Each structure stands twice: as structure tokens, then as C-alpha cells.
């Protein structure tokens, strides 16, 4: 009996069963070119699922995708971010940042902090926040396949207008979470963006709001 060849979609569904089994996924990388592509896209869909020392390489790789303006944020001050650790990643087989499907601002901030501890001279003034903002700008600009995003803000609602409108409208989006502490004058900015998602995206399954205020309107 002749075996029917599986379609590419079938192979992808098989590999997805090992989403959280990175040891098996690393083995899948070596099977063939097709398996490599599917496995890389799965590994980089949520590269910060487990935060550890090895995760600092993700930050180094993300930094190579900064455009001229984003890189200028890190190199225009008296103290510049040392980007020498990114040189070994300049020639990559894939544009790894483009595979991102889960964006978590708090996790990226945490791993950026860890990256600073291991790659930068901590005796000098820190540009940790500027590094995070540059990476955030790059991901907002490049990522087109976001399925989940978690935005954590503190006294700053200015990030909301920066979130790509394509993330709100995308048929891929399934879950989002907002954590914020904002002043009374800024509350409506936050509420408008949350309402925008609930109205414009009919396929979203979860909207989670964690607002550290006492004056949240009932309608919100």
C-alpha cells in the first residue's frame, strides 16, 4: 500500500504538539528545511515563555533589527549602549523578530534588565529604559502576526497610541491584557483603546483589564 504524502499544514500541526517541549523542537530543526522553518517560527512565536540567562541572546538578536532612528536612541547620548554582543548575530538565516506572536511588555523589560547585567558596564549610567523603548518600537513596526499581547504601563498612557492599529484589527488576535496606572486626565485615552478592540475585533476571546485606579467607569 502506497503511503499518502502529508501536506505541509499537517506537518505544522504535528510540530505544534511540541510547542512547550523545546528539547524535541531543537531536534526537529535538524530534520529538513521544511521542519526547520516550522520549528523556528514556533520557537520564536513566544521566545520569552521561559525567562533564563539564555534569553539574553533574544535581546541581542532583536537589537540587530533596529532601524536608524531606533539605533540613534541608544547611540546619541554621552553614554552609549555597547552593541558589540550583537555582532555574532548579524548574519541570521531568518528574520526572527517577525515570527513573534506573543508580546509581553513586562517580560521584555525583565529580560532587557537581565541583558544589561551580563552585557553592559553597570558602573556607567544605564540606558536600560531607552533599550526597551527601542526594542518595543522595532516590534511594533515589524510584527504582523500577533495573537496575544500584554501591555503593562505605569503612569504612562502614551504607549497606547503607539500600539499598531493592525494588532487591534487582526483576525489573529485572541487575547490581550492591559495593566495601567494613569491620571484622571489620561483615563479616556486608555478606555478608548480598550473599547476599540472590543468593538472592531469580533474574534477576540479574552480582554483582561487590570487598572490600578478607583474611578473606573462602570461602562468600561
Amino acid at each position: 500500500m502506497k503511503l499518502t504524502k502529508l501536506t505541509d499544514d499537517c506537518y505544522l500541526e504535528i510540530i505544534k504538539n511540541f510547542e512547550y517541549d523545546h528539547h524535541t523542537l531543537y531536534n526537529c530543526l535538524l530534520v529538513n528545511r521544511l521542519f526547520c522553518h516550522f520549528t523556528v517560527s514556533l520557537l520564536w512565536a513566544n521566545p520569552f515563555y521561559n525567562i533564563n540567562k539564555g534569553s539574553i541572546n533574544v535581546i541581542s538578536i532583536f537589537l540587530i533589527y533596529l532601524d536608524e532612528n531606533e539605533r540613534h536612541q541608544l547611540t546619541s547620548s554621552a553614554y552609549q549602549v555597547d552593541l558589540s554582543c550583537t555582532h555574532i548575530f548579524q548574519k541570521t538565516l531568518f528574520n526572527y523578530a517577525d515570527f513573534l506572536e506573543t508580546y509581553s511588555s513586562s517580560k521584555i523589560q525583565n529580560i532587557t534588565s537581565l541583558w544589561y547585567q551580563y552585557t553592559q558596564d553597570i558602573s556607567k549610567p544605564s540606558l536600560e529604559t531607552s533599550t526597551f523603548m527601542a526594542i518595543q518600537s522595532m516590534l511594533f513596526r515589524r510584527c504582523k502576526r500577533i495573537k496575544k499581547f500584554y501591555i503593562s504601563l505605569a503612569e504612562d498612557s502614551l504607549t497606547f497610541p503607539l500600539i499598531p492599529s493592525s494588532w487591534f484589527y487582526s483576525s489573529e488576535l485572541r487575547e490581550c491584557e492591559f495593566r495601567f496606572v494613569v491620571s484622571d486626565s489620561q483615563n479616556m485615552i486608555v478606555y478608548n483603546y480598550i473599547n476599540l478592540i472590543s468593538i472592531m475585533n469580533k474574534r477576540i476571546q479574552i480582554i483582561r483589564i487590570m487598572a490600578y485606579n478607583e474611578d473606573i467607569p462602570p461602562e468600561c
Side-chain angles (χ1 to χ4, degrees):
M1 179 179 177
K2 184 178 180 180
L3 295 177
T4 303
K5 182 180 178 180
L6 296 177
T7 64
D8 291 354
D9 288 343
C10 289
Y11 286 122
L12 177 59
E13 290 303 315
I14 292 172
I15 295 175
K16 281 183 178 180
N17 289 310
F18 305 111
E19 181 178 3
Y20 303 112
D21 182 355
H22 285 188
H23 177 73
T24 299
L25 287 177
Y26 292 143
N27 289 330
C28 290
L29 287 170
L30 306 177
V31 174
N32 56 36
R33 184 175 298 180
L34 180 65
F35 270 55
C36 180
H37 176 78
F38 286 154
T39 303
V40 166
S41 65
L42 196 58
L43 286 169
W44 283 86
N46 188 7
F48 300 119
Y49 174 72
N50 288 318
I51 294 181
N52 51 51
K53 182 179 177 181
S55 300
I56 65 175
N57 287 334
V58 177
I59 296 298
S60 295
I61 291 174
F62 277 176
L63 287 170
I64 71 176
Y65 301 119
L66 300 184
D67 64 15
E68 184 177 348
N69 290 332
E70 292 155 355
R71 189 173 293 270
H72 182 69
Q73 296 179 38
L74 309 182
T75 58
S76 60
S77 63
Y79 170 62
Q80 300 183 1
V81 176
D82 180 7
L83 298 178
S84 60
C85 61
T86 68
H87 293 166
I88 61 173
F89 301 112
Q90 289 300 317
K91 295 182 179 180
T92 58
L93 294 175
F94 301 93
N95 293 322
Y96 297 107
D98 297 351
F99 293 118
L100 192 72
E101 294 181 359
T102 298
Y103 177 89
S104 171
S105 62
S106 60
K107 285 190 175 182
I108 295 177
Q109 283 181 310
N110 290 340
I111 200 61
T112 300
S113 178
L114 187 62
W115 179 85
Y116 248 85
Q117 295 176 33
Y118 284 99
T119 67
Q120 304 297 301
D121 185 350
I122 60 175
S123 67
K124 296 181 178 180
S126 174
L127 289 178
E128 184 175 322
T129 300
S130 296
T131 303
F132 165 73
M133 294 300 293
I135 291 174
Q136 176 181 258
S137 174
M138 180 275 294
L139 294 175
F140 283 173
R141 173 172 53 85
R142 294 183 65 109
C143 297
K144 310 297 184 184
R145 49 200 295 178
I146 295 296
K147 295 182 178 178
K148 301 177 182 180
F149 68 83
Y150 310 100
I151 305 295
S152 180
L153 306 171
E155 302 294 349
D156 181 13
S157 64
L158 298 179
T159 297
F160 278 82
L162 300 179
I163 302 173
S165 59
S166 59
W167 287 17
F168 294 127
Y169 304 143
S170 172
S171 61
E172 297 289 319
L173 184 64
R174 292 294 179 269
E175 179 178 337
C176 59
E177 176 181 290
F178 300 96
R179 295 172 179 245
F180 63 93
V181 180
V182 293
S183 65
D184 294 343
S185 62
Q186 295 174 323
N187 280 346
M188 288 311 302
I189 297 176
V190 179
Y191 302 152
N192 287 340
Y193 274 88
I194 294 173
N195 289 332
L196 178 65
I197 297 179
S198 62
I199 294 172
M200 300 301 297
N201 196 322
K202 302 303 182 183
R203 295 190 179 186
I204 193 166
Q205 298 169 352
I206 298 174
I207 299 178
R208 187 179 298 109
I209 304 171
M210 305 184 73
Y212 303 97
N213 305 64
E214 296 180 356
D215 59 342
I216 304 300
E219 61 270 21
C220 182

